[in-house]
Amino acid sequence: MFDQLSGKMSGVLEGLSKNGKLTEGDVTEAMREVRLAMLEADVALPVVRDFVNKVRERSVGHEVLESVSPGQAVAKIVNDALIDALGGAGAVPLNLAAVPPVPVLMVGLQGSGKTTTSGKIALRLSQREGKKVLLASLDVYRPAAQLQLQQLAERVNAITKRVTALPIVAGQSPVEIAKRALDTGRREGYDVVILDTAGRLSIDEALMDEVRQIRAVTNPAETLLVVDAMTGQDAVNTAKSFNEAVGITGVVMSRMDGDARGGAALSMKAITGAPIKLTGSGEKLEALEEFHPERVAGRILGLGDVAGLVERAAETLDHEEGERVAKKMLAGKFDLDDYVSQINQINRMGSISGILGMLPGMGKIKDMLGDKEIDTSIFKRHKAIISSMTQQERKTPGIIKASRKKRIAAGSGTTVQEVNRLLKQFDDMSTMMKRISKMGLGGLMRGMSGAGGLADMMKGMGKPGGRPPFA
Ligand SMILES: Nc1nc2c(ncn2[C@@H]2O[C@H](COP(=O)(O)OP(=O)(O)O)[C@@H](O)[C@H]2O)c(=O)[nH]1
Ligand SMILES: [Mg+2]
């Protein structure tokens, strides 16, 4: 997700930062490239046009072009405009402020991921907020669909002990099931009732009618549309139709783990007015994330998503290890041993390409591997190289000079070039992390645009001996 766009956008901004001075012509040229990159990423045309105009307008003023580092000033404008397009700073949380049992209605086309997402949301609410959740399948067209939700509920319940599926009663209509779900929820003291509706292969009146009827009898606090990120513009058009026909309160974008180009995420808010609230990044129950526009913008511009990574690490690793890694990362102090520990945890944390995208400076390793299948053998080789180092070398890689490199390469069955590459990449990673840690986790969370955010970070990077921000 966003790989190609990210590569191009950071390339354009890097180009701008190289020049000390910028002319209006430079900005125009850069915006032409940004426009192409966004169109290639499948961003909707009106959104692209708006974005480019906005950035151009803000960039060609005197304050920007005559500033000390105009390239970085433009980069900040681009960052802000990306955050806007993605829905504005800060994740939009699920709204569960209603009298329990709070109904949450899941809608969308067939195969978009509604049932899976219902299970994921049940896990999240029961695990993090201690909510008691009832899952009800209103899909009466495919008998297997109700069983699918029942099995999901059992899997979630095995983890949190607070989730149940509404018993299946043959012959009931979706509206009848919805009423029964709310009655059961009330009687048995559930906090949330998730109503998983049937989809259709395409949008039709019958589907919309059914959703409208269910809405009318349940009055849901959230009507969440699940769309498949891989379908690009179609996802946006689907959302537009659903919003016009039945009204939605938020979008869940599934399959963010696929190689979608990212255009749907960038177009959703502008075209539909509905915020993306959650994203799905895999088939596992844990693969559900909040959507933080400022973090996504950071990833698109190659700044990495350290906040997201730290969060994910803290959730997935055992708690102590999570705290330890998070602290060291934020202190800009992690060493090669920590890198190995990261490698060891990567499988547990989810898709490798997802993690690589979150690590600042790791974009290059990803390019090296090509964008087909991420080949995990590189990590095995890195582990081999690091295991051939002494304790001291792992803590202070700076001491590894020519003769040590030869010894390490021989010991690990690799080459000096490979050792060099690992050290260089590790160095890139540490530099980037130190820089990001300067603004603090809080600053990062508040968004990369505010005071103490990207602007401050850029000041640091503009210092003599500093590196360009997007290198
Ligand atoms: N890779 C990936 N697969 C997903 C994701 N969400 C759902 N799926 C898969 O998509 C398929 C259809 O999902 P399902 O929940 O049954 O869709 P529904 O018809 O809308 O209820 C299933 O095989 C899911 O495992 C996701 O975020 N990533
Ligand atoms: Mg389903």
Side-chain angles (χ1 to χ4, degrees):
M1 195 78 179
F2 300 120
D3 290 350
Q4 203 188 347
L5 180 63
S6 170
K8 298 215 163 133
M9 293 289 263
S10 36
V12 174
L13 296 182
E14 200 177 334
L16 282 179
S17 304
K18 273 192 187 125
N19 298 342
K21 283 258 162 267
L22 276 192
T23 64
E24 205 174 315
D26 295 332
V27 174
T28 305
E29 177 55 30
M31 285 313 114
R32 209 191 328 264
E33 288 172 40
V34 166
R35 182 174 188 278
L36 274 177
M38 290 180 89
L39 287 175
E40 275 171 29
D42 206 20
V43 182
L45 185 59
V47 177
V48 177
R49 210 179 276 145
D50 216 50
F51 182 91
V52 168
N53 286 342
K54 199 154 71 175
V55 173
R56 225 192 89 80
E57 242 166 60
R58 291 183 196 164
S59 299
V60 294
H62 274 288
E63 323 75 279
V64 174
L65 293 182
E66 309 296 324
S67 69
V68 191
S69 43
Q72 293 178 354
V74 173
K76 174 163 167 33
I77 293 170
V78 170
N79 185 58
D80 288 350
L82 275 177
I83 294 173
D84 274 354
L86 290 162
V92 186
L94 288 184
N95 167 29
L96 301 177
V99 181
V102 181
V104 171
L105 183 59
M106 309 295 294
V107 300
L109 297 181
Q110 206 173 88
S112 61
K114 292 178 299 298
T115 304
T116 311
T117 305
S118 301
K120 289 176 178 178
I121 293 177
L123 174 67
R124 169 171 286 249
L125 294 179
S126 58
Q127 194 165 49
R128 299 190 189 197
E129 300 178 31
K131 305 255 191 219
K132 200 174 154 195
V133 182
L134 183 65
L135 283 165
S137 172
L138 312 192
D139 191 343
V140 295
Y141 309 98
R142 295 177 304 163
Q146 303 199 20
L147 287 175
Q148 183 194 357
L149 190 69
Q150 196 168 47
Q151 283 160 3
L152 269 174
E154 280 162 18
R155 274 170 57 203
V156 180
N157 194 52
I159 304 171
T160 66
K161 313 269 180 259
R162 287 197 185 86
V163 175
T164 324
L166 183 74
I168 298 171
V169 174
Q172 282 197 320
S173 72
V175 168
E176 285 166 339
I177 300 174
K179 283 186 187 157
R180 181 161 59 90
L182 287 188
D183 284 344
T184 306
R186 234 169 264 131
R187 212 175 39 238
E188 299 180 12
Y190 282 89
D191 299 304
V192 177
V193 175
I194 299 177
L195 303 163
D196 177 26
T197 62
R200 297 284 194 284
L201 287 173
S202 62
I203 289 167
D204 63 21
E205 247 332 282
L207 169 64
M208 297 299 180
D209 251 355
E210 187 179 296
V211 173
R212 274 192 290 257
Q213 284 178 37
I214 297 166
R215 273 204 67 150
V217 297
T218 57
N219 190 23
E222 284 278 9
T223 302
L224 295 176
L225 174 75
V226 183
V227 292
D228 178 350
M230 301 287 287
T231 61
Q233 298 266 347
D234 282 346
V236 181
N237 293 333
T238 302
K240 192 161 183 263
S241 308
F242 264 93
N243 199 29
E244 284 163 5
V246 299
I248 56 177
T249 56
V251 174
V252 181
M253 211 173 258
S254 68
R255 294 210 185 80
M256 294 283 277
D257 50 317
D259 61 353
R261 287 168 291 173
L266 274 159
S267 316
M268 194 58 80
K269 186 69 196 287
I271 304 283
T272 69
I276 299 174
K277 294 197 167 180
L278 297 164
T279 59
S281 59
E283 304 202 18
K284 287 189 189 160
L285 282 170
E286 291 80 12
L288 184 74
E289 283 90 34
E290 284 181 336
F291 186 76
H292 291 267
E294 69 282 5
R295 297 187 192 173
V296 176
R299 288 180 66 174
I300 292 175
L301 296 182
L303 291 167
D305 177 8
V306 176
L309 187 67
V310 168
E311 215 168 68
R312 182 113 64 102
E315 273 165 23
T316 334
L317 312 182
D318 63 87
H319 197 65
E320 266 171 38
E321 177 71 356
E323 293 244 297
R324 194 185 68 80
V325 172
K327 258 192 209 137
K328 285 192 97 168
M329 273 185 183
L330 289 178
K333 266 192 198 151
F334 76 104
D335 56 30
L336 284 166
D337 278 328
D338 300 317
Y339 178 57
V340 169
S341 138
Q342 269 184 10
I343 293 177
N344 289 337
Q345 303 289 355
I346 269 173
N347 279 333
R348 280 217 264 153
M349 287 173 67
S351 99
I352 304 223
S353 60
I355 309 259
L356 283 182
M358 288 168 122
L359 276 173
M362 284 294 257
K364 279 184 199 122
I365 210 184
K366 226 174 144 183
D367 292 347
M368 227 163 74
L369 293 164
D371 53 16
K372 284 158 249 88
E373 257 308 301
I374 298 286
D375 177 6
T376 52
S377 68
I378 185 102
F379 290 125
K380 287 204 193 93
R381 299 181 78 77
H382 280 181
K383 271 173 77 173
I385 293 173
I386 294 170
S387 70
S388 293
M389 294 177 181
T390 64
Q391 199 56 34
Q392 202 193 0
E393 286 165 347
R394 288 180 216 180
K395 295 288 170 215
T396 42
I399 62 170
I400 304 175
K401 301 283 186 267
S403 68
R404 289 180 190 251
K405 283 179 190 165
K406 260 191 228 152
R407 194 204 75 236
I408 293 167
S412 56
T414 58
T415 61
V416 169
Q417 283 95 311
E418 274 184 278
V419 175
N420 277 334
R421 245 178 311 194
L422 165 65
L423 290 173
K424 167 80 172 63
Q425 180 220 321
F426 179 76
D427 194 48
D428 284 351
M429 254 164 81
S430 341
T431 311
M432 203 60 161
M433 284 197 179
K434 269 183 211 139
R435 197 172 286 154
I436 288 174
S437 73
K438 266 193 208 137
M439 54 199 258
L441 187 57
L444 201 64
M445 300 269 212
R446 272 197 305 280
M448 294 196 147
S449 59
L454 190 70
D456 283 3
M457 201 169 111
M458 284 179 166
K459 262 190 241 151
M461 290 187 288
K463 279 183 190 139
R467 287 144 145 268
F470 303 104

